[in-house]
Amino acid sequence: MDVKAAVAFEAGKPLEIATVKLDGPKAGEVLVEIKATGICHTDEFTRSGADPEGLFPAILGHEGAGVVVEIGPGVTSVAVGDNVIPLYTPECRECPSCLSRKTNLCTKIRSTQGQGVMPDGTSRFSLDGRKLHHYMGCSTFANFTVLPEIAVAKIRPDAPFDKVCYIGCGVTTGVGAVINTAKVEPGAKCVVFGLGGIGLNVIQGLRLVGADMIIGVDTNPAKKAWGERFGMTHFVNPKEIGGDVVPYLVNMTKHGADQIGGADYTFDCTGNVNVMRQALEACHRGWGQSIIIGVAAAGAEIATRPFQLVTGRVWKGTAFGGARGRTDVPRIVDWYMEGKIEIDPMITHTLPLADINRGFDLMHAGESIRSVVVY
Ligand code: NAD
Ligand code: AHE
Ligand code: ZN
C-alpha cells in the first residue's frame, strides 16, 4: 500500500515528505495506522548522524499512537480496531531478559531492530524499489507502519492519540526512571539536569512519589518556569552561579547533623557526558544514585574518579524508564486519563507531517517541550 512518510535520506539533512510503499503484516505482526507522533531528541540524535547505530535511508519516529487496521496470521493479543502505542522496547514475556524480571530490555527482536528490519530480516518500506530502513522498530514518521505484536501496547479507546503518543517515549522514560529505575522514596532530595521533554517528566514523577527537594538544572533560563509548573522546588542555571555547579548543589542539599551534602538521586536528561559526571558527583556520599537517561554521541565516554564510586555513589542507566511496555504503558495511559500525571501543557506544538522539520528547528531553538505531528 502507499503511505505518507517523512524520510531521512542522509545524515544531517532535513527529512523529505514522500509517498512510500509499505508491505502488509506477516505472521505475528500488525499493521497500525499512526494517528499522532511526538518528536523526541533521540530522533534528532539519529537524524544528525550522531547515532552509531543510525542507518539511512530510514523512516524515523518512535513516539506514536494509532489503531490496528490489519493483523497477520497467529496474532492473538490485539485485534483490528484496538488503539495501541508502538513499543521500541518490546515485551515478549518469554526471552531470558523478560523472564529474569531484572530488566525491561527484551532481547527477542533487538538485533533485527538495530539493523533497521523486521524480525524476518526484511524491510517493509521501500521507495521506487529502494529499501528504506525501519527505525527503533517503530517508524512512526509514516501514517501506517508494521510492528510485531510484542511491540504494541493496547490502550483504552478513549485516550486522545495526540496526547498519549508522548507515553510512547518521553513520559514513560521520565516517570519510569523515577519509579522503576531509581525507586525514589518520599522525602528524597533530587536533582534533574536538563528540563526538556524528558527532564520535565522526571520532575513530575518526583512530585508523584513525594520527593521533598526537586532541583532543576538547565542552561536555558526559560526552563525555570517550566520546571516549577510540574513540581520543581529550586532552579539552578550553571551559567549564573559563578562557579562549579557540583559544590553548589552539594551545598544546597546539606542536611543532617554531619552537614554532608549531596542528593539522594540525580538524573541526567541532557546526553552531555560532562553533565553526566556532574550528576554523579552531586550525589550524596555513601548512597546517592545517579541515573543516566540522556543518549550520547558515537565515541563519547563518561569519566569520574573511581573514588566517587568507592565512596558509595551509584551510576545507573535507564532505557524507556525501565518500563515493560505491554504491561506498564496501559497503566500510564490510565494515570493520564485519571489526572495523576500531566501531558497536555508539555505538548507545545502540533504540526502536520509536511512541517515536521519545523519540529526539529523548535527543539534546537529550545522553544518546544514536545512537538507532535498529527496525521
Ligand atoms: P530536550 O532537547 O528537550 O532537552 C534537553 C535539555 O537539556 C534542554 O532544556 C537544554 O537546555 C538542557 N541542557 C543542555 N545542555 C545542558 C547543560 N550543560 N546543563 C544543563 N542543561 C542542559 O531533549 P529531551 O527530549 O528531553 O531528551 C533528553 C535526552 O534524553 C536526549 O539525550 C535523548 O536522546 C534522551 N532520551 C533517552 C531515553 C532513554 O530511554 N534513555 C528516552 C528518551 C530520550
Ligand atoms: N543507538 C544508540 C542507543 C540509543 C539508546 O540508548 N536508545 C534508548 C532509547 S532512547 C529513546 O528516545 C534505548 O532504548 N536503549 C536500549 C537499546 O537497546 O537500544 C547507540 O548509542 O548505539
Ligand atoms: Zn525517545
Side-chain angles (χ1 to χ4, degrees), residues 24-27 29 109 112 115 117-124 134 148:
K26 296 188 181 173
E29 298 173 359
I109 58 171
T112 47
Q115 294 158 39
V117 291
M118 294 295 286
D120 71 348
T122 67
S123 172
R124 303 302 154 71
H134 296 245

Side-chain angles (χ1 to χ4, degrees), residues 40-42 88 169 173 194-199 217-220 223 269-272 275 293-295 318-320 363 370:
C40 173
H41 207 119
T42 306
Y88 60 83
C169 184
T173 297
L195 307 183
I198 305 303
V217 180
D218 204 298
T219 46
N220 178 350
K223 297 299 174 92
C269 313
T270 69
N272 175 324
V275 174
I293 304 177
V295 167
T318 183
F320 198 37
M363 179 192 293
R370 248 334 175 243

Side-chain angles (χ1 to χ4, degrees), residues 292-347:
I292 294 178
I293 304 177
V295 167
E301 295 187 345
I302 49 172
T304 192
R305 284 188 64 216
F307 174 74
Q308 295 286 341
L309 305 180
V310 166
T311 49
R313 295 173 191 83
V314 177
W315 229 342
K316 278 186 177 179
T318 183
F320 198 37
R324 293 184 174 82
R326 289 203 286 163
T327 305
D328 295 340
V329 161
R331 285 211 323 248
I332 298 176
V333 171
D334 289 342
W335 294 351
Y336 164 68
M337 297 299 285
E338 292 158 6
K340 292 196 177 91
I341 57 168
E342 295 185 79
I343 293 183
D344 300 22
M346 293 188 207
I347 298 178

